[in-house]
Amino acid sequence: MKLLAIESSGLVASAAVFADDTIVAEFTVNNKQTHSQTLLPMIDQVVTMSGIDLKEIDAIATTSGPGSFTGLRIGSATAKGLGLALDKPLIHIPTVDALACNLWGHQSLICPLMDARRQQTYTGIYELKNGALEILQQQCAVGINEIIAQINEIGRPVTFLGDGVAVFHDYIEENCTVAHDYAPAHMNKQRAGAVAWLGLQYAKEGKLETAAEHCPDYLRLSQAERERQEMLEKQNAGK
């Protein structure tokens, strides 16, 4: 099976071509350039370097959220556009699940942390058991205090990864009561290779959708929507 994988849910932009159980080409950038500038050129590069024509791919795997609203929209629009143009199905990949796959083979619990601002994180809790990724806490948007409290309650060693580690490091050190460590630099950020691998598992399970059906999972309102909601609540309270 041949897949094109796209990751644009956070600061990292990444694209990969997967064929015959091999990451044939992968391009990952984490230099704060806007995805609207980098994503399509990166896709063009990995496709060209892989030697595989886009028409040959079987599906397009893309992170569906949560994550940056702008990044998800760019990735979604790119995947939908390619899917429609090539008449290929899309594979809807949960961002946090794909991030957890970076630590395949790890023995302790895995807790990805994405910075969601306002002391909140996009996160989940996972473990690798019998060759499969098991979800103990489905991806969610919660306060860092909530996920750390849940980890403490489980009471097992945990490894943290993601761009939220730098943001929440001090809180973790002060409040996480179980043994914990942090993924190294080559494993701690989103990458399209993990999206491609998880996409293959989903494809085998028949978890495909049309380009028209695809829609990101934001998990929470955007800042503009939250501010509008707060304003309406204040107006209603004043009546």
Side-chain angles (χ1 to χ4, degrees), residues 2-23:
K2 297 180 177 67
L3 298 177
L4 171 66
I6 299 170
E7 164 58 79
S8 64
S9 63
L11 294 176
V12 171
S14 186
V17 173
F18 181 93
D20 302 322
D21 292 326
T22 300
I23 304 295

Side-chain angles (χ1 to χ4, degrees), residues 223-239:
Q223 182 176 346
E225 290 170 321
R226 290 196 303 270
E227 290 175 353
R228 180 176 181 275
Q229 189 176 64
E230 290 170 1
M231 181 184 68
L232 291 174
E233 288 174 354
K234 288 178 181 179
Q235 288 177 346
N236 291 333
K239 291 180 179 179

Side-chain angles (χ1 to χ4, degrees), residues 68-131:
S68 157
F69 286 84
T70 301
L72 289 174
R73 288 187 182 112
I74 292 170
S76 176
T78 301
K80 286 168 74 76
L82 289 171
L84 288 169
L86 299 168
D87 192 25
K88 302 294 183 180
L90 269 58
I91 308 174
H92 196 98
I93 303 296
T95 305
V96 183
D97 293 14
L99 189 51
C101 286
N102 283 0
L103 298 185
W104 195 262
H106 211 62
Q107 297 303 307
S108 62
L109 296 180
I110 300 168
C111 181
L113 297 172
M114 296 174 64
D115 182 18
R117 312 291 182 181
R118 297 187 175 189
Q119 286 299 299
Q120 283 204 322
T121 177
Y122 298 125
T123 186
I125 302 174
Y126 305 83
E127 67 175 332
L128 296 163
K129 196 172 182 180
N130 300 322

Side-chain angles (χ1 to χ4, degrees), residues 132-199:
L133 184 70
E134 293 201 2
I135 302 173
L136 303 184
Q137 168 59 61
Q138 190 173 17
Q139 65 175 20
C140 54
V142 297
I144 184 62
N145 59 316
E146 295 177 60
I147 196 68
I148 295 301
Q150 189 172 352
I151 288 170
N152 289 341
E153 185 176 344
I154 294 172
R156 292 170 53 191
V158 61
T159 297
F160 297 100
L161 72 159
D163 61 30
V165 166
V167 178
F168 303 118
H169 181 271
D170 290 348
Y171 185 92
I172 293 169
E173 290 302 308
E174 292 173 7
N175 295 278
C176 187
T177 59
V178 301
H180 59 277
D181 59 7
Y182 305 93
H186 65 293
M187 296 178 175
N188 71 354
K189 298 293 191 303
Q190 293 97 323
R191 53 171 295 197
V195 175
W197 184 88
L198 192 55

